[in-house]
């Protein structure tokens, strides 16, 4: 099954774009599971929480065409923040290499918007480069979403892909 994944650093417009695409194509999307998980904690999250988040993220995306993030985000964040990533997460990402996945990689060229879960207002460009490198290394097709007309440009890029399913 084809998957279209919206990805990128914090506060780069992923959820906004996902909602707009969902509305335009009249399809549902798998939300970023980490948000609800972290909101439910009565403590700060720890590296061990990332495996739980990853497992539920993977379940949430099983029957969805459009995803607001995926395991690659968890891998990048885990390695960036903690210097390592759980092998289960890495193995799942490796398995996904054979799937038809198309990524819309959001460039952080929009203003930072603070919320309780965001941690990195100053290194979004560095993280963006990590995303590009990761997607390239995995061999996934992607399109960089940047500048004005983000929704319009994304719609024109994925319309041919969605029309064949």
């Amino acid at each position: 099954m084809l998957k279209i994944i919206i990805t990128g650093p914090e506060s780069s417009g992923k959820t906004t774009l996902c909602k707009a695409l969902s509305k335009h194509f009249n399809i549902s999307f798998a939300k970023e599971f980490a948000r609800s998980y972290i909101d439910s904690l009565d403590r700060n999250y720890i590296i061990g929480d990332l495996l739980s988040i990853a497992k539920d993220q993977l379940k949430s995306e099983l029957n969805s065409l459009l995803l607001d993030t995926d395991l690659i985000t968890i891998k990048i964040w885990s390695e960036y923040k903690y210097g390592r990533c759980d092998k289960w997460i890495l193995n799942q990402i490796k398995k996904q290499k054979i799937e038809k996945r198309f990524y819309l990689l959001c460039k952080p060229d929009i203003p930072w918007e603070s919320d309780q879960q965001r941690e990195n207002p100053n290194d979004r460009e560095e993280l963006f480069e990590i995303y590009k490198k990761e997607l390239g290394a995995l061999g996934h097709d992607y399109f960089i979403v940047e500048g004005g007309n983000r929704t319009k440009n994304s719609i024109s890029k994925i319309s041919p892909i969605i029309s064949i399913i």
Side-chain angles (χ1 to χ4, degrees):
M1 176 179 183
L2 170 70
K3 304 280 185 199
I4 297 170
I5 301 100
I6 316 303
T7 196
E10 292 178 333
S11 195
S12 60
K14 297 181 299 292
T15 301
T16 300
L17 179 59
C18 208
K19 288 176 180 176
L21 295 175
S22 173
K23 182 177 180 180
H24 176 82
F25 291 107
N26 194 30
I27 56 175
S28 62
F29 68 94
K31 295 179 180 178
E32 181 182 12
F33 185 78
R35 289 210 157 261
S36 61
Y37 181 93
I38 293 170
D39 279 346
S40 72
L41 295 176
D42 60 357
R43 58 172 170 78
N44 290 332
Y45 73 92
I46 58 173
I47 190 169
D49 290 316
L50 297 181
L51 180 58
S52 297
I53 291 168
K55 288 181 177 183
D56 283 325
Q57 178 68 41
L58 193 60
K59 285 180 200 170
S60 75
E61 61 187 57
L62 283 176
N63 297 311
S64 295
L65 163 67
L66 184 62
L67 312 178
D68 181 359
T69 205
D70 73 348
L71 297 182
I72 291 172
T73 296
I74 298 169
K75 174 191 186 281
I76 289 170
W77 187 244
S78 183
E79 290 176 345
Y80 191 81
K81 183 169 180 161
Y82 298 106
R84 64 186 194 281
C85 183
D86 189 278
K87 288 191 184 320
W88 185 90
I89 297 169
L90 299 175
N91 288 334
Q92 296 307 310
I93 291 170
K94 191 181 288 187
K95 289 178 187 177
Q96 291 173 340
K97 283 176 68 170
I98 62 167
E99 296 175 3
K100 179 127 176 85
R101 299 172 83 80
F102 185 80
Y103 287 80
L104 293 171
L105 175 56
C106 295
K107 189 168 186 175
D109 59 352
I110 59 176
W112 168 266
E113 289 185 22
S114 181
D115 75 23
Q116 291 181 333
Q117 292 187 18
R118 292 186 178 148
E119 301 176 38
N120 289 59
N122 300 317
D123 55 3
R124 296 187 301 153
E125 274 299 325
E126 178 184 354
L127 285 160
F128 177 76
E129 294 301 322
I130 293 170
Y131 275 90
K132 280 194 335 190
K133 184 178 176 183
E134 186 70 26
L135 292 172
L138 290 167
H140 290 304
D141 291 331
Y142 68 93
F143 173 74
I144 296 175
V145 179
E146 61 186 321
N149 299 315
R150 290 168 158 251
T151 301
K152 181 181 173 186
N153 292 340
S154 297
I155 288 169
S156 67
K157 190 66 180 175
I158 65 173
S159 284
I161 299 169
I162 289 181
S163 69
I164 62 172
I165 55 171

